[in-house]
PDB file of all heavy atoms in Angstrom:
ATOM      1  N   THR A 185     -46.389   8.035   9.273  1.00  0.00           N
ATOM      2  CA  THR A 185     -47.342   7.331  10.186  1.00  0.00           C
ATOM      3  C   THR A 185     -47.833   8.257  11.416  1.00  0.00           C
ATOM      4  O   THR A 185     -48.728   8.002  12.050  1.00  0.00           O
ATOM      5  CB  THR A 185     -46.684   6.082  10.782  1.00  0.00           C
ATOM      6  OG1 THR A 185     -45.485   6.514  11.569  1.00  0.00           O
ATOM      7  CG2 THR A 185     -46.288   5.207   9.643  1.00  0.00           C
ATOM      8  N   GLY A 186     -47.060   9.332  11.479  1.00  0.00           N
ATOM      9  CA  GLY A 186     -47.385  10.186  12.659  1.00  0.00           C
ATOM     10  C   GLY A 186     -46.986   9.695  13.996  1.00  0.00           C
ATOM     11  O   GLY A 186     -47.345  10.080  15.039  1.00  0.00           O
ATOM     12  N   ASP A 187     -46.109   8.476  13.993  1.00  0.00           N
ATOM     13  CA  ASP A 187     -45.670   7.791  15.215  1.00  0.00           C
ATOM     14  C   ASP A 187     -44.179   8.033  15.297  1.00  0.00           C
ATOM     15  O   ASP A 187     -43.386   7.508  14.526  1.00  0.00           O
ATOM     16  CB  ASP A 187     -45.983   6.449  15.090  1.00  0.00           C
ATOM     17  CG  ASP A 187     -45.682   5.510  16.255  1.00  0.00           C
ATOM     18  OD1 ASP A 187     -45.012   6.194  17.233  1.00  0.00           O
ATOM     19  OD2 ASP A 187     -45.933   4.391  16.349  1.00  0.00           O
ATOM     20  N   PRO A 188     -43.758   8.877  16.276  1.00  0.00           N
ATOM     21  CA  PRO A 188     -42.278   9.186  16.438  1.00  0.00           C
ATOM     22  C   PRO A 188     -41.520   7.934  16.932  1.00  0.00           C
ATOM     23  O   PRO A 188     -40.221   8.110  17.010  1.00  0.00           O
ATOM     24  CB  PRO A 188     -42.262  10.242  17.450  1.00  0.00           C
ATOM     25  CG  PRO A 188     -43.528  10.121  18.171  1.00  0.00           C
ATOM     26  CD  PRO A 188     -44.557   9.690  17.301  1.00  0.00           C
ATOM     27  N   VAL A 189     -42.159   6.836  17.274  1.00  0.00           N
ATOM     28  CA  VAL A 189     -41.355   5.627  17.614  1.00  0.00           C
ATOM     29  C   VAL A 189     -40.567   5.148  16.648  1.00  0.00           C
ATOM     30  O   VAL A 189     -39.451   4.561  16.791  1.00  0.00           O
ATOM     31  CB  VAL A 189     -42.288   4.543  18.091  1.00  0.00           C
ATOM     32  CG1 VAL A 189     -41.691   3.194  18.208  1.00  0.00           C
ATOM     33  CG2 VAL A 189     -43.055   4.945  19.405  1.00  0.00           C
ATOM     34  N   TRP A 190     -40.973   5.380  15.383  1.00  0.00           N
ATOM     35  CA  TRP A 190     -40.084   4.963  14.165  1.00  0.00           C
ATOM     36  C   TRP A 190     -38.706   5.687  14.179  1.00  0.00           C
ATOM     37  O   TRP A 190     -37.758   5.063  13.753  1.00  0.00           O
ATOM     38  CB  TRP A 190     -40.814   5.203  12.807  1.00  0.00           C
ATOM     39  CG  TRP A 190     -41.874   4.136  12.621  1.00  0.00           C
ATOM     40  CD1 TRP A 190     -43.168   4.479  12.713  1.00  0.00           C
ATOM     41  CD2 TRP A 190     -41.713   2.884  12.239  1.00  0.00           C
ATOM     42  NE1 TRP A 190     -43.962   3.394  12.355  1.00  0.00           N
ATOM     43  CE2 TRP A 190     -43.054   2.378  12.058  1.00  0.00           C
ATOM     44  CE3 TRP A 190     -40.622   2.062  12.055  1.00  0.00           C
ATOM     45  CZ2 TRP A 190     -43.216   1.076  11.726  1.00  0.00           C
ATOM     46  CZ3 TRP A 190     -40.815   0.705  11.639  1.00  0.00           C
ATOM     47  CH2 TRP A 190     -42.139   0.215  11.532  1.00  0.00           C
ATOM     48  N   ASP A 191     -38.663   6.840  14.624  1.00  0.00           N
ATOM     49  CA  ASP A 191     -37.458   7.540  14.781  1.00  0.00           C
ATOM     50  C   ASP A 191     -36.449   6.861  15.794  1.00  0.00           C
ATOM     51  O   ASP A 191     -35.329   6.713  15.492  1.00  0.00           O
ATOM     52  CB  ASP A 191     -37.678   9.064  15.228  1.00  0.00           C
ATOM     53  CG  ASP A 191     -36.447   9.786  15.273  1.00  0.00           C
ATOM     54  OD1 ASP A 191     -35.591   9.691  14.371  1.00  0.00           O
ATOM     55  OD2 ASP A 191     -36.202  10.670  16.120  1.00  0.00           O
ATOM     56  N   GLY A 192     -37.089   6.383  16.856  1.00  0.00           N
ATOM     57  CA  GLY A 192     -36.283   5.719  17.805  1.00  0.00           C
ATOM     58  C   GLY A 192     -35.790   4.339  17.248  1.00  0.00           C
ATOM     59  O   GLY A 192     -34.650   3.787  17.563  1.00  0.00           O
ATOM     60  N   ILE A 193     -36.631   3.639  16.509  1.00  0.00           N
ATOM     61  CA  ILE A 193     -36.289   2.298  15.856  1.00  0.00           C
ATOM     62  C   ILE A 193     -35.125   2.471  14.921  1.00  0.00           C
ATOM     63  O   ILE A 193     -34.215   1.768  14.761  1.00  0.00           O
ATOM     64  CB  ILE A 193     -37.491   1.722  15.203  1.00  0.00           C
ATOM     65  CG1 ILE A 193     -38.548   1.366  16.219  1.00  0.00           C
ATOM     66  CG2 ILE A 193     -37.074   0.463  14.340  1.00  0.00           C
ATOM     67  CD1 ILE A 193     -39.836   0.822  15.593  1.00  0.00           C
ATOM     68  N   GLY A 194     -35.303   3.658  14.031  1.00  0.00           N
ATOM     69  CA  GLY A 194     -34.063   3.905  13.263  1.00  0.00           C
ATOM     70  C   GLY A 194     -32.838   4.154  13.917  1.00  0.00           C
ATOM     71  O   GLY A 194     -31.683   3.743  13.466  1.00  0.00           O
ATOM     72  N   THR A 195     -32.874   4.860  15.057  1.00  0.00           N
ATOM     73  CA  THR A 195     -31.703   5.142  15.917  1.00  0.00           C
ATOM     74  C   THR A 195     -31.080   3.830  16.363  1.00  0.00           C
ATOM     75  O   THR A 195     -29.859   3.543  16.469  1.00  0.00           O
ATOM     76  CB  THR A 195     -32.010   6.025  17.077  1.00  0.00           C
ATOM     77  OG1 THR A 195     -32.699   7.267  16.578  1.00  0.00           O
ATOM     78  CG2 THR A 195     -30.811   6.400  17.906  1.00  0.00           C
ATOM     79  N   LEU A 196     -32.023   3.027  16.902  1.00  0.00           N
ATOM     80  CA  LEU A 196     -31.596   1.592  17.421  1.00  0.00           C
ATOM     81  C   LEU A 196     -30.854   0.841  16.283  1.00  0.00           C
ATOM     82  O   LEU A 196     -29.801   0.098  16.524  1.00  0.00           O
ATOM     83  CB  LEU A 196     -32.772   0.847  17.902  1.00  0.00           C
ATOM     84  CG  LEU A 196     -32.513  -0.324  18.954  1.00  0.00           C
ATOM     85  CD1 LEU A 196     -31.766   0.186  20.150  1.00  0.00           C
ATOM     86  CD2 LEU A 196     -33.856  -0.971  19.396  1.00  0.00           C
ATOM     87  N   ALA A 197     -31.326   0.848  15.068  1.00  0.00           N
ATOM     88  CA  ALA A 197     -30.734   0.098  14.015  1.00  0.00           C
ATOM     89  C   ALA A 197     -29.471   0.621  13.730  1.00  0.00           C
ATOM     90  O   ALA A 197     -28.421  -0.116  13.318  1.00  0.00           O
ATOM     91  CB  ALA A 197     -31.687   0.307  12.738  1.00  0.00           C
ATOM     92  N   ILE A 198     -29.223   2.008  13.784  1.00  0.00           N
ATOM     93  CA  ILE A 198     -27.930   2.697  13.545  1.00  0.00           C
ATOM     94  C   ILE A 198     -26.907   2.057  14.594  1.00  0.00           C
ATOM     95  O   ILE A 198     -25.734   1.754  14.265  1.00  0.00           O
ATOM     96  CB  ILE A 198     -27.956   4.212  13.687  1.00  0.00           C
ATOM     97  CG1 ILE A 198     -28.840   4.626  12.439  1.00  0.00           C
ATOM     98  CG2 ILE A 198     -26.555   4.756  13.761  1.00  0.00           C
ATOM     99  CD1 ILE A 198     -29.168   6.174  12.656  1.00  0.00           C
ATOM    100  N   GLY A 199     -27.354   2.065  15.868  1.00  0.00           N
ATOM    101  CA  GLY A 199     -26.499   1.527  16.894  1.00  0.00           C
ATOM    102  C   GLY A 199     -26.114   0.035  16.597  1.00  0.00           C
ATOM    103  O   GLY A 199     -24.969  -0.246  16.886  1.00  0.00           O
ATOM    104  N   ALA A 200     -27.021  -0.747  16.308  1.00  0.00           N
ATOM    105  CA  ALA A 200     -26.696  -2.198  16.014  1.00  0.00           C
ATOM    106  C   ALA A 200     -25.727  -2.264  14.864  1.00  0.00           C
ATOM    107  O   ALA A 200     -24.758  -3.096  14.890  1.00  0.00           O
ATOM    108  CB  ALA A 200     -27.985  -2.906  15.750  1.00  0.00           C
ATOM    109  N   LEU A 201     -25.967  -1.448  13.863  1.00  0.00           N
ATOM    110  CA  LEU A 201     -25.001  -1.620  12.748  1.00  0.00           C
ATOM    111  C   LEU A 201     -23.673  -1.130  13.021  1.00  0.00           C
ATOM    112  O   LEU A 201     -22.634  -1.827  12.694  1.00  0.00           O
ATOM    113  CB  LEU A 201     -25.461  -0.601  11.629  1.00  0.00           C
ATOM    114  CG  LEU A 201     -24.527  -0.264  10.377  1.00  0.00           C
ATOM    115  CD1 LEU A 201     -24.431  -1.595   9.569  1.00  0.00           C
ATOM    116  CD2 LEU A 201     -25.030   0.837   9.505  1.00  0.00           C
ATOM    117  N   LEU A 202     -23.466  -0.109  13.879  1.00  0.00           N
ATOM    118  CA  LEU A 202     -22.182   0.432  14.323  1.00  0.00           C
ATOM    119  C   LEU A 202     -21.499  -0.647  15.244  1.00  0.00           C
ATOM    120  O   LEU A 202     -20.297  -0.949  15.155  1.00  0.00           O
ATOM    121  CB  LEU A 202     -22.243   1.677  15.042  1.00  0.00           C
ATOM    122  CG  LEU A 202     -22.517   2.879  14.214  1.00  0.00           C
ATOM    123  CD1 LEU A 202     -22.834   4.093  15.073  1.00  0.00           C
ATOM    124  CD2 LEU A 202     -21.741   3.121  13.009  1.00  0.00           C
TER     125      LEU A 202
END
Side-chain angles (χ1 to χ4, degrees):
T185 64
D187 187 354
V189 167
W190 284 107
D191 186 37
I193 293 173
T195 307
L196 200 59
I198 293 170
L201 171 67
L202 293 181

